[in-house]
Amino acid sequence: MRGNVLNKSRCGRPHKLSDCDSRAIVRKVKKNPKISAPKLADQIVTASGKKVHPETVRRILRSGGYNGRVSSRKPFISSVNQQKRLDFASPHAEASGISETVIASRGWFNRFKHRNNLHNIKITGEAASGDTKAAAEFPAKLKTIIEQGNYPPELVFNVD
């Protein structure tokens, strides 16, 4: 019969897993990112009875935005070791006069600058001339803001 879509042939093999099954796989990986594709394939067999190859699971995960990567190995720091580190660092922080605890690595600070588009620019010429009256009044205003906010001087950055 001409013009009927019911009896038209399709190209390729039909999918073994439905869209609901694919979303369930992505949810399982979101819940436990360290689970392997063969283990997920075994879970699908036990849950739904559909035998799926691990490469099919990987393909579904890639389409869901998950790529196979080896996680970086980070050293395990036990609670006892953490306490010893804090006990060691506390007297040094008190001796240097640091009142607030700020934990930031150089990498974090560089990513922060990149995220917020902070960088050094030297402006010369006419663009550098601005409101001189406001510029003269600003240091005193900044000092009052810092005192009222109780900000330590280590946290004040020049970003002009």
Side-chain angles (χ1 to χ4, degrees), residues 14-25 48 50 52 60:
H15 295 283
K16 267 192 175 180
L17 299 175
S18 65
D19 290 337
C20 183
D21 295 332
S22 300
R23 287 191 303 270
I25 290 171
S48 65
K50 298 176 183 175
V52 179
I60 289 169

Side-chain angles (χ1 to χ4, degrees), residues 42-158:
D42 290 340
Q43 287 180 5
I44 293 168
V45 169
T46 57
S48 65
K50 298 176 183 175
K51 187 167 169 47
V52 179
H53 195 273
E55 191 57 39
T56 305
V57 173
R58 287 185 197 100
R59 193 176 307 116
I60 289 169
L61 291 175
R62 274 191 229 101
S63 68
Y66 289 93
N67 293 316
R69 301 283 187 270
V70 177
S71 61
S72 62
R73 296 179 64 87
K74 296 179 182 171
F76 175 73
I77 301 173
S78 66
S79 58
V80 173
N81 196 344
Q82 285 178 355
Q83 190 60 44
K84 285 182 179 179
R85 288 179 180 205
L86 282 173
D87 292 342
F88 174 78
S90 297
H92 297 291
E94 292 168 4
S96 64
I98 298 173
S99 60
E100 290 190 30
T101 306
V102 177
I103 302 170
S105 64
R106 181 175 295 277
W108 176 88
F109 186 63
N110 287 335
R111 287 189 301 275
F112 172 79
K113 289 193 305 185
H114 180 73
R115 245 191 334 266
N116 294 297
N117 199 19
L118 301 174
H119 50 276
N120 293 331
I121 299 176
K122 186 173 183 178
I123 301 174
T124 58
E126 200 171 343
S129 63
D131 188 1
T132 55
K133 181 181 175 192
E137 296 170 357
F138 185 73
K141 186 176 179 181
L142 178 63
K143 187 174 182 179
T144 58
I145 291 171
I146 291 171
E147 289 172 356
Q148 289 174 353
N150 199 17
Y151 299 113
E154 298 87 27
L155 295 180
V156 179
F157 296 98
N158 183 6

